[in-house]
Amino acid sequence: MKADELRQKYLEFFKSKGHSVIASASLIPENDPTVLFTTAGMHPLVPYLLGAKHPVGNRLTDVQKCVRTGDIDEVGDASHLTFFEMLGNWSLGDYFKNEMIPWSYEFLTKELGISPDRLAVSVFEGDEDCPRDVESAKLWEKCGIAKERIFFLPKKNNWWGPAGITGPCGPDTEMFIDTGKPKCCDSCSPACDCGKYLEIWNDVFMQYNKNADGKYEPLAQKNVDTGMGLERTICVLQGKKSVYETDVFKGALDLLEKLSGLKYGASDEITKAMRIISDHTRTAVFILGDDNGVTPSNTDQGYVLRRLIRRAVRFGRKLNLDKGALSALAEVYIEQYKHVYGELDRNKDKIIKELTAEEEKFAKTLEQGIKEFEKVVFFLEKAGQKKISGKLAFKLYDTFGFPIEITEELAKEKGMDVDKEGFDKAFEEHQQISHAGAEQKFKGGLADHSVETARLHTATHLLHAALRKVLGVEVGQKGSNITAERLRFDFNFGRPMTREELIEVENIVNEYIKADAPIICEEKSYADAKADGAIGLFENKYGEQVKVYTMGTFSKEICGGPHAAHTGELGRFKIIKEQSSSSGVRRIKAILEY
Ligand code: SER
């Protein structure tokens, strides 16, 4: 079975069980300051898991673009990826275990044709927070899973979430393919990583909310949240040892073989380099090609993107790839995915342009930087030292464009490490915004749906409306990011705004706030929303209902919320910065003062 077929089968199956198919959300979370990228299908759905009404109903299914960079250093082995697609389905206070477990069984055995004796499942063994999940175990048995293939495991293995410090969570039941390998020991189970069991799907029974005191309170609404990794499942179904050997990466690896004249699999080094280049370029294509996509920079998502592209360029050097290899690879991916993710085709020019520019920029200094690095290593080795100074790491960063992680990786290859503290110090001295911001956000949790972010979100709509009033209705949103402290809004406009225009926009937003208009949310079809003059991006693939937020007479926008109840709650709106974001796109940062 090919990847396209699995995606289709999953959505069709859940459609036949009364689910509405929704479009993948952006890879860049719109209103969640605590994470850089969307990491799971449930992530954009948090407000609905917490009880907000979803416009298309309480049974949803989709395929979500996800980026997880926590394991970026592992990429190159058989299974790690920084981008993946997650197939998922949700019950928002509707069905629960009784339905979900038999459906999972039906999908795996009937639709995917996996024999029940190749399956194993795990369920929660229970602890002081939540009882043993005998119910799920019984349901699996009733479906036809033999008792000895049902494993009771602790919270460490069979509990999902919350994604952050607080939020929806619950026990889960995970499904595994038994590879047929012998047991590694008497207590061999899906909890050991001996490779006998490969996880393919996870059904989470979200029935708790972990509160700030660390207590698990029952959720008003019991949800189901499931996630199936597309690449991993395809790998199992195609009987391959590595995700890179499935049809997902065939086009990319064929091209890399052609461009380098080398064979995938010829040596460990070639295999690793080809995997890293294929993975990182694919992720870069999806980040650049997102409608809210970012461009390479030294902070946040832009920094991750830069790091991915530069790491791909560095490994490209090992294969003697010429300039332009990454953009050629990008073309392969755009062709491969555009029927599912139309945005890649729409944003193709941007993807190629930015990728080429970043590739060229780094290729220019890479050689010199490596020479500099090797010169220093030569002397250090002679002196029997094993630490690269923070000063050198900073020079490689500042002069040669080496992300610190690349220097660390180069050092590791030589059996050395880097004085990270020294690097950070040098960095601070140069008063640049550190990548540490980005790293902290990986560790951070999910979805700060606080009053403050809701207000800033409302302010974003008002700003959008004011900009259109002052600069013209051709101006529209290109991106939005909200932290608890500030909003950031990107919009298409060809030149810097004048001081007068900025003051006018600020004044208009403050008038809207003063008017203290109620904020009204209505659900309607996308066509009706557009006919009513609502603005806002929406991928209308499946004829969904949408939410329209109306604020007085000044703003009407399609959006998922949440928002303040009245504009008067917002305090004083203040623009703190107007700057360029990328070519033809300006960026405003603004705050609310009380
Ligand atoms: N949220 C769960 C996961 O990420 C199930 O979708 O595995």
Side-chain angles (χ1 to χ4, degrees):
M1 187 182 296
K2 295 241 159 84
D4 275 345
E5 206 183 327
L6 172 60
R7 204 186 288 114
Q8 203 56 35
K9 260 190 195 288
Y10 192 96
L11 299 179
E12 286 300 326
F13 180 81
F14 284 99
K15 220 157 106 183
S16 80
K17 308 287 185 198
H19 291 62
S20 304
V21 181
I22 56 170
S24 173
S26 166
L27 261 182
I28 316 289
E30 287 249 325
N31 298 304
D32 183 348
T34 62
V35 281
L36 293 175
F37 296 103
T38 300
T39 57
M42 59 78 75
H43 191 170
L45 296 171
V46 168
Y48 309 105
L49 293 164
L50 291 173
K53 199 169 166 293
H54 193 284
V56 304
N58 47 17
R59 293 185 181 199
L60 309 174
T61 184
D62 74 12
V63 51
Q64 174 65 47
K65 307 181 274 190
C66 299
V67 165
R68 290 188 189 178
T69 50
D71 289 331
I72 184 170
D73 295 332
E74 312 282 335
V75 173
D77 68 3
S79 64
H80 280 93
L81 298 170
T82 53
F83 170 89
F84 66 100
E85 293 177 86
M86 189 184 272
L87 295 157
N89 61 285
W90 293 272
S91 156
L92 304 171
D94 186 22
Y95 59 83
F96 207 50
K97 297 177 187 176
N98 271 332
E99 292 82 4
M100 193 58 227
I101 289 179
W103 287 343
S104 291
Y105 185 82
E106 184 186 340
F107 186 72
L108 293 172
T109 56
K110 301 248 165 56
E111 298 293 323
L112 303 187
I114 302 171
S115 149
D117 42 79
R118 280 189 70 209
L119 286 172
V121 300
S122 62
V123 295
F124 184 54
E125 72 174 14
D127 63 12
E128 65 275 13
D129 296 321
C130 173
R132 188 176 175 85
D133 195 2
V134 251
E135 203 185 336
S136 291
K138 282 215 180 101
L139 284 164
W140 282 121
E141 248 188 276
K142 212 169 122 198
C143 287
I145 302 277
K147 230 183 170 129
E148 60 275 14
R149 299 186 156 273
I150 303 172
F151 296 85
F152 282 89
L153 296 173
K155 206 179 232 138
K156 186 167 138 267
N157 307 95
N158 273 80
W159 189 276
W160 200 88
I165 298 159
T166 59
C169 57
D172 64 28
T173 179
E174 297 179 15
M175 290 145 267
F176 302 83
I177 295 288
D178 180 347
T179 58
K181 276 190 192 167
K183 291 188 167 209
C184 67
C185 61
D186 282 350
S187 58
C188 181
S189 83
C192 47
D193 51 12
C194 68
K196 178 172 171 62
Y197 300 101
L198 300 175
E199 188 200 331
I200 51 171
W201 200 359
N202 185 7
D203 294 350
V204 186
F205 302 115
M206 277 190 169
Q207 51 191 112
Y208 297 94
N209 184 40
K210 188 173 183 185
N211 66 25
D213 302 332
K215 297 230 163 59
Y216 295 89
E217 332 166 303
L219 271 181
Q221 154 185 312
K222 284 188 184 173
N223 308 299
V224 174
D225 154 41
T226 95
M228 174 185 272
L230 180 131
E231 290 81 353
R232 218 194 256 191
T233 305
I234 274 300
C235 178
V236 168
L237 294 174
Q238 292 178 3
K240 304 286 188 198
K241 285 207 168 60
S242 160
V243 287
Y244 293 97
E245 278 137 45
T246 65
D247 64 305
V248 174
F249 289 102
K250 171 119 184 44
L253 292 174
D254 283 352
L255 179 72
L256 286 178
E257 288 189 335
K258 204 172 114 205
L259 294 177
S260 66
L262 299 166
K263 208 105 205 91
Y264 173 85
S267 75
D268 286 353
E269 206 188 350
I270 293 173
T271 303
K272 182 176 167 191
M274 286 193 180
R275 285 174 176 173
I276 289 174
I277 300 165
S278 309
D279 170 81
H280 290 9
T281 308
R282 188 172 71 135
T283 310
V285 164
F286 273 92
I287 296 176
L288 283 164
D290 198 283
D291 282 326
N292 292 338
V294 297
T295 49
S297 73
N298 284 337
T299 53
D300 294 345
Q301 289 96 346
Y303 179 75
V304 175
L305 175 63
R306 167 158 287 169
R307 203 175 138 193
L308 288 166
I309 298 173
R310 295 192 171 194
R311 192 162 186 255
V313 173
R314 177 166 100 79
F315 279 90
R317 179 177 174 268
K318 291 186 192 262
L319 303 181
N320 293 320
L321 292 181
D322 284 334
K323 264 204 312 239
L326 298 196
S327 19
L329 205 50
E331 303 247 8
V332 169
Y333 284 130
I334 296 168
E335 275 309 303
Q336 180 175 331
Y337 283 106
K338 68 180 189 194
H339 67 293
V340 187
Y341 303 102
E343 62 272 26
L344 297 185
D345 207 28
R346 278 201 299 286
N347 301 321
K348 181 174 173 177
D349 290 348
K350 177 189 167 201
I351 300 174
I352 302 295
K353 189 176 132 235
E354 294 288 343
L355 204 53
T356 311
E358 186 67 15
E359 190 180 2
E360 279 179 2
K361 218 191 255 173
F362 190 50
K364 257 194 215 138
T365 53
L366 176 66
E367 278 312 316
Q368 277 170 287
I370 289 193
K371 265 195 207 126
E372 173 93 12
F373 174 83
E374 284 179 343
K375 199 172 73 198
V376 174
V377 165
F378 175 79
F379 287 112
L380 286 178
E381 274 174 345
K382 262 183 129 173
Q385 288 179 12
K386 287 197 167 307
K387 211 169 195 92
I388 309 279
S389 72
K391 240 171 101 193
L392 172 68
F394 186 73
K395 183 171 181 201
L396 289 172
Y397 171 85
D398 200 38
T399 314
F400 302 104
F402 281 40
I404 177 69
E405 294 81 3
I406 286 193
T407 304
E408 287 179 319
E409 200 171 51
L410 285 167
K412 210 166 140 196
E413 286 170 13
K414 300 271 181 204
M416 299 196 171
D417 44 50
V418 178
D419 174 11
K420 189 76 189 310
E421 265 171 40
F423 171 81
D424 288 340
K425 226 175 114 213
F427 204 111
E428 266 161 38
E429 279 163 15
H430 283 73
Q431 289 194 322
Q432 301 199 33
I433 303 154
S434 148
H435 63 284
E439 271 177 6
Q440 265 154 23
K441 282 184 199 162
F442 287 133
K443 290 188 207 118
L446 182 75
D448 170 13
H449 290 285
S450 65
V451 178
E452 213 36 60
T453 53
R455 284 178 182 158
L456 283 161
H457 189 185
T458 302
T460 303
H461 282 219
L462 297 179
L463 170 63
H464 194 177
L467 285 168
R468 288 164 60 91
K469 202 164 166 186
V470 175
L471 305 178
V473 289
E474 2 14 284
V475 168
Q477 170 167 348
K478 284 285 165 215
S480 160
N481 171 280
I482 293 170
T483 71
E485 286 82 37
R486 57 114 184 99
L487 67 86
R488 192 180 81 198
F489 187 74
D490 292 353
F491 56 100
N492 57 300
F493 193 57
R495 59 162 172 84
M497 285 173 68
T498 63
R499 213 180 109 73
E500 289 70 30
E501 285 165 342
L502 285 168
I503 294 174
E504 199 182 343
V505 166
E506 206 176 81
N507 286 342
I508 292 175
V509 173
N510 282 315
E511 274 163 35
Y512 291 162
I513 295 175
K514 241 203 245 133
D516 197 20
I519 292 160
I520 296 159
C521 176
E522 294 166 291
E523 285 168 26
K524 50 181 79 175
S525 73
Y526 180 69
D528 285 348
K530 281 283 160 193
D532 286 353
I535 57 169
L537 259 188
F538 185 72
E539 286 248 347
N540 185 31
K541 281 191 202 157
Y542 308 101
E544 293 172 37
Q545 292 280 107
V546 296
K547 277 189 188 174
V548 175
Y549 280 88
T550 307
M551 304 174 183
T553 53
F554 20 90
S555 161
K556 194 182 272 292
E557 203 170 321
I558 297 169
C559 169
H563 281 283
H566 280 260
T567 59
E569 286 174 32
L570 268 51
R572 224 196 107 68
F573 174 82
K574 199 169 163 201
I575 294 176
I576 51 174
K577 204 166 198 178
E578 193 270 353
Q579 67 197 118
S580 159
S581 163
S582 59
S583 128
V585 179
R586 306 294 302 173
R587 165 170 291 181
I588 282 183
K589 288 187 184 160
I591 55 170
L592 291 172
E593 290 176 333
Y594 294 94

